[in-house]
C-alpha cells in the first residue's frame, strides 16, 4: 500500500499524524473483523471490541484534525 501522500512530507508533525491515521485505520479494520459472524465465538468480548472500535475512531478523528490544523496553518503562511 502506498503511503498518503505519495511523497514523504517534510513536516514531522504531518508524518506523525499520517502514521497515527494509518495505524488507527488498520486497527479499526482489524477490530471490526472481530464482529463478523464467521470469526465471532462465545469467548469474544463484544464490549471490549466495541471500546476498541470507539478508540480507533477517536484516534482517526484526532489525526484528521491534526492534519487539517497543520495544513490550514501552512496554507495561511
Amino acid at each position: 500500500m502506498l503511503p498518503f501522500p505519495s511523497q514523504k512530507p517534510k513536516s514531522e508533525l504531518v508524518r506523525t499524524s499520517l502514521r497515527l491515521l494509518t495505524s488507527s485505520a488498520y486497527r479499526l479494520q482489524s477490530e471490526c473483523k472481530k464482529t463478523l459472524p464467521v470469526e465471532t465465538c462465545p469467548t469474544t468480548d463484544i464490549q471490549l471490541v466495541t471500546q476498541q472500535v470507539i478508540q480507533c475512531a477517536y484516534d482517526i478523528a484526532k489525526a484528521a484534525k491534526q492534519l487539517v490544523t497543520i495544513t490550514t496553518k501552512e496554507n495561511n503562511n
Side-chain angles (χ1 to χ4, degrees):
M1 175 183 243
L2 292 174
F4 177 83
S6 59
Q7 52 183 236
K8 188 175 180 179
K10 295 175 186 171
S11 168
E12 181 60 35
L13 289 173
V14 172
R15 287 194 301 272
T16 300
S17 296
L18 287 173
R19 278 193 298 271
L20 177 60
L21 186 62
T22 304
S23 65
S24 297
Y26 283 121
R27 282 182 30 238
L28 179 61
Q29 182 181 30
S30 173
E31 292 298 330
C32 287
K33 283 182 180 180
K34 293 178 185 177
T35 65
L36 296 175
V38 174
E39 295 186 20
T40 303
C41 62
T43 60
T44 300
D45 184 349
I46 201 67
Q47 286 184 325
L48 178 61
V49 172
T50 301
Q51 287 176 340
Q52 293 299 322
V53 167
I54 291 168
Q55 183 62 51
C56 293
Y58 173 82
D59 290 341
I60 290 169
K62 180 180 172 182
K65 181 181 177 188
Q66 288 172 351
L67 288 170
V68 168
T69 301
I70 292 164
T71 54
T72 300
K73 285 181 182 177
E74 286 178 356
N75 289 337
N76 288 336
N77 289 335

